[in-house]
Structure formats: C-alpha cells, structure tokens
Amino acid sequence: MGLCIQFFSTFQHSHYVELAISKLKEHEVDNIYAVPLDNRSVDMKLVDSMNATDGSSLADIGLILAMMGATIGAARGFVLDWGPIFWGLIGAVGGFTIGFVYDITSTLIKRKKNRTAKIKLGEIILIVQCTNEQSQFVEQTLWKSLALGVAKTQMQTTRLESDS
C-alpha cells in the first residue's frame, strides 16, 4: 500500500505545456495525461431571450430616433396638412425604422467579423500522477511552466501481488 499524489493543472494552449511534460518525463514521471478543452462557439443571436443576453440590443438607436422623429414630426405638423399627431406618428415610425435597420446591419457586420477573426486556442488540463517523493518537483515544474492553476490530491494505492 503506498501514497500516490495527483496534480490537476490548467494551461493556456502554448509551448509551455510541452516543456512541462518533457521536463517531467526527464525526471521519470510517466503518468501524465493532457486533455485539451474545446472553446465555446461564439454565435451571436439577433433576438435575445429572457434568460440569455449578449448585451446588444436592436431597439436602442431605433427608440432614440423614434423619439427624435416624433418630436420633429409633431413640431412640423402644426404647419402641415395632416396635423401634429399624424406627422408625429410618421416621424416615430420612420425614426424607429432607420435606427432598427442601422442596428441590424451593424450587428450582422460584427457577427461576420467575429466568425472570420482568428480563434483563440482553448485551455489544456494536465493530470500528473506521481509518488510522494516526486510531488515537490512536479508542483514546482507546473508552476514554473506558467500553469493557470494547480490542485493536488492524495490517494492510497493498493498493489495486487500475485501468488506465485
């Protein structure tokens, strides 16, 4: 029965991960497992739901321009034939339409730029299993290799011996 130490560490996808693995293997630490994580796909939605929003709105500029159009339409409507109410409504609808078209166009352009932008590589989880004597070296190596985080666990191991 022996004491086994496991280290869980996360790294940005870089050459430091390879250097850490090489250094650990040089010092006879062979139980190393690397798991690359997938990135979240960035898919902007045109309409936000109640529970999830990306912080962009298609109505902001439209509502501002609707208010401005309604104010100008109502003011000018006193001298025009249909009166201030109809010209205020026409100004509001026209302003909202212009703002909405502007917002949807700029959102579609942002979405296209995000798709064509260079995708950042994800993180890597490195799991290292070693003996108690090697644990100090393994932990120092992981931190020196720019690990984002390191966790250490201990567990008892039992070895099955054959009856020969």
Side-chain angles (χ1 to χ4, degrees):
M1 194 184 254
L3 189 62
C4 179
I5 308 292
Q6 278 189 330
F7 287 94
F8 298 87
S9 58
T10 57
F11 290 86
Q12 286 292 331
H13 199 290
S14 68
H15 66 281
Y16 291 109
V17 180
E18 298 295 330
L19 292 173
I21 293 172
S22 298
K23 193 169 186 180
L24 291 172
K25 286 196 175 202
E26 285 176 7
H27 286 80
E28 298 175 0
V29 178
D30 293 326
N31 293 329
I32 301 170
Y33 188 62
V35 182
L37 299 176
D38 291 333
N39 284 340
R40 176 181 291 201
S41 64
V42 180
D43 189 24
M44 294 176 58
K45 297 177 182 174
L46 285 179
V47 179
D48 294 334
S49 69
M50 190 170 197
N51 297 324
T53 181
D54 61 359
S56 64
S57 172
L58 298 177
D60 290 345
I61 294 178
L63 291 175
I64 293 169
L65 291 180
M67 186 264 317
M68 292 170 55
T71 304
I72 294 170
R76 300 306 306 158
F78 283 108
V79 295
L80 296 174
D81 286 337
W82 292 348
I85 294 176
F86 283 118
W87 283 107
L89 290 173
I90 291 170
V93 169
F96 184 79
T97 304
I98 291 170
F100 184 77
V101 168
Y102 173 79
D103 273 340
I104 203 162
T105 305
S106 64
T107 301
L108 291 174
I109 289 171
K110 276 188 211 173
R111 180 188 293 180
K112 187 175 180 182
K113 282 183 183 178
N114 283 345
R115 275 193 208 147
T116 59
K118 185 178 180 181
I119 297 173
K120 181 180 169 185
L121 294 173
E123 294 180 354
I124 294 177
I125 297 175
L126 194 65
I127 302 170
V128 180
Q129 187 172 340
C130 63
T131 63
N132 195 26
E133 295 80 28
Q134 296 171 321
S135 66
Q136 186 72 19
F137 170 75
V138 171
E139 187 171 9
Q140 288 176 355
T141 302
L142 294 174
W143 283 120
K144 286 180 183 176
S145 299
L146 303 178
L148 298 175
V150 175
K152 176 180 176 181
T153 62
Q154 295 180 358
M155 58 188 213
Q156 294 288 334
T157 59
T158 58
R159 296 188 181 194
L160 298 175
E161 296 182 22
S162 61
D163 294 334
S164 34

